[in-house]
Amino acid sequence: MDSRSVIFLEVMIAIAVVGVLAFLVFLIGRAVAQAKDGGGGGGAGGSGANRWYQYLLAALLLVVIAALAVWQFSTEGLLGQAADWRADGRAITFFVIMLVVGGLGLIGFLVFLVAQRSRQGPAPAAPSFAASSTPAAAPATTPEAATQPTPAGLRLLGLLGLLAAFVLLNWIYLPKAEQYSLILGLIYPASLAVALVLLFDKASRGWNVKDTAENFREWLLCDAMTFLLILGFLNLRQDPGGEEYAAMFWDVLYVALFFLIFWILDRARTRLRFLLAHAYFIALPILLLIWRAMKTIPEGAAPLPEISWWSTVWPFFFLAIIAFVLEIIVMLIQGSEGKQGLGAVKDTIFVAIYGILLIAAIPEAAE
């Protein structure tokens, strides 16, 4: 196993371990909180005071992660092989990207915690004697089998379980040539079919709780995302594949992100969904850069021809960043009014410029 493979495998193992430990901390904290609430000790003031164990477990987890990081970069690593990650520019780029993603995830988690605490209202007032003395209304007739909402986390974990099993199947069992065939012949065609079904399902809804401008924005961004998924499939078809293909994980991640953002745009009502969609457009050029960096160039191959800056990923990256910043400004201007007219104009211009850049990036035909 070469040095770059060792670095990649060690980083993936570290991410998996951290994710599992963080999920266990969440499960332990939730189980203890439910036990306290069931025992009658979970009041409005006690629920916040009884969470000290969650913060303690989280602090211990951070200490363990920091210790593992120091040990990892000061010794030969988890696999017992010397992997000088500082000597490889691609490894440094990958490490920086992982740090940025981890930092954004930590910031998002802190924002989520602050939002959850701000939503916690005061404890419900105890019923008065007058209210308790009045006869209660007759209970409504309940059906024999009452329906219960399925938690969104459980549904997401169900999909992530299959996704993790597929990735492990490729890593453990399949050679790179078989991975390429599976991604090219199964994952991308099935994803395109499901994407078309989702679009037809969206078109079949005659009534909607969202206004016209909001629906227009969703259609613009969902169509653009689906078209880029088609371009991703064509990009994979142009790859020679074989044993030089080493980007299975990034293709699967791209498809998973597509469906996640599509679902948030189409099904959710949060005002942040358009901001997440523009963050997705920022992530796409980065994913393409990593996908290209994972390719193994055979020895003796001819150098790639130089291309114009407009044919690289950077115009799309900077355009997505500008659109992301403009979306934040639009959200601040509109406030809590919920109007989407200004955002619809912005997204129309964004998709139009994106299309022009795609046309400009088409390589010239070889003479």
Side-chain angles (χ1 to χ4, degrees):
M1 187 180 294
D2 59 355
S3 174
R4 193 167 54 186
S5 300
V6 172
I7 295 169
F8 178 76
L9 189 56
E10 289 177 350
V11 171
M12 290 297 104
I13 293 174
I15 293 174
V17 171
V18 172
V20 170
L21 291 178
F23 184 65
L24 289 177
V25 169
F26 170 75
L27 286 183
I28 294 172
R30 186 168 184 177
V32 176
Q34 289 177 352
K36 288 181 177 292
D37 292 340
S47 62
N50 290 331
R51 291 182 180 177
W52 61 269
Y53 50 84
Q54 297 183 9
Y55 298 108
L56 177 62
L57 290 174
L60 291 176
L61 176 60
L62 288 178
V63 171
V64 171
I65 294 171
L68 287 176
V70 172
W71 170 72
Q72 168 65 26
F73 291 108
S74 61
T75 60
E76 292 184 351
L78 297 173
L79 302 181
Q81 299 185 20
D84 190 6
W85 60 275
R86 293 174 292 269
D88 192 348
R90 293 178 179 177
I92 295 176
T93 303
F94 179 76
F95 181 70
V96 171
I97 292 174
M98 289 294 105
L99 284 180
V100 172
V101 172
L104 292 177
L106 180 59
I107 294 173
F109 179 68
L110 293 177
V111 171
F112 172 75
L113 285 182
V114 173
Q116 286 292 101
R117 301 232 0 144
S118 63
R119 275 187 228 156
Q120 292 177 355
S128 62
F129 177 79
S132 60
S133 61
T134 56
T141 304
T142 57
E144 295 181 359
T147 59
Q148 296 181 0
T150 304
L154 181 60
R155 289 177 284 168
L156 184 60
L157 283 177
L159 292 175
L160 289 178
L162 177 61
L163 187 67
F166 177 81
V167 173
L168 288 176
L169 170 67
N170 284 268
W171 275 345
I172 297 174
Y173 179 69
L174 296 180
K176 293 181 179 179
E178 292 295 329
Q179 294 177 16
Y180 176 78
S181 300
L182 195 59
I183 297 294
L184 182 64
L186 175 63
I187 298 300
Y188 270 100
S191 302
L192 290 172
V194 174
L196 292 178
V197 170
L198 292 175
L199 288 176
F200 277 105
D201 174 70
K202 187 174 180 61
S204 64
R205 301 175 206 153
W207 295 84
N208 205 318
V209 295
K210 303 172 184 177
D211 59 16
T212 304
E214 205 169 358
N215 273 294
F216 179 74
R217 296 188 70 184
E218 292 179 2
W219 271 108
L220 269 179
L221 297 178
C222 288
D223 284 345
M225 290 168 51
T226 306
F227 183 75
L228 292 178
L229 184 66
I230 297 173
L231 292 184
F233 175 62
L234 294 177
N235 179 63
L236 184 65
R237 281 179 56 90
Q238 295 175 0
D239 190 83
E243 292 301 322
E244 287 77 22
Y245 176 75
M248 177 275 304
F249 174 79
W250 303 105
D251 279 313
V252 173
L253 179 62
Y254 170 49
V255 173
L257 284 178
F258 167 81
F259 284 112
L260 176 63
I261 302 301
F262 194 106
W263 179 84
I264 292 176
L265 270 177
D266 185 33
R267 302 286 178 159
R269 289 295 311 276
T270 173
R271 295 173 63 240
L272 295 176
R273 67 188 190 277
F274 297 111
L275 193 65
L276 291 175
H278 286 291
Y280 170 81
F281 283 105
I282 294 177
L284 287 186
I286 302 300
L287 285 177
L288 182 58
L289 280 179
I290 298 175
W291 188 89
R292 291 175 176 173
M294 296 301 297
K295 293 179 62 175
T296 303
I297 301 178
E299 296 183 1
L304 297 176
E306 295 185 1
I307 58 176
S308 171
W309 183 82
W310 295 100
S311 297
T312 63
V313 300
W314 299 114
F316 304 95
F317 178 73
F318 291 117
L319 176 62
I321 289 180
I322 293 173
F324 183 85
V325 175
L326 290 178
E327 179 63 27
I328 296 177
I329 296 175
V330 169
M331 291 177 61
L332 294 176
I333 292 175
Q334 293 177 345
S336 59
E337 297 179 0
K339 298 179 180 179
Q340 301 291 338
L342 185 60
V345 174
K346 175 191 67 67
D347 286 343
T348 303
I349 297 175
F350 167 72
V351 173
I353 297 178
Y354 210 98
I356 294 173
L357 290 178
L358 285 175
I359 296 175
I362 296 177
E364 297 180 358
E367 297 181 357

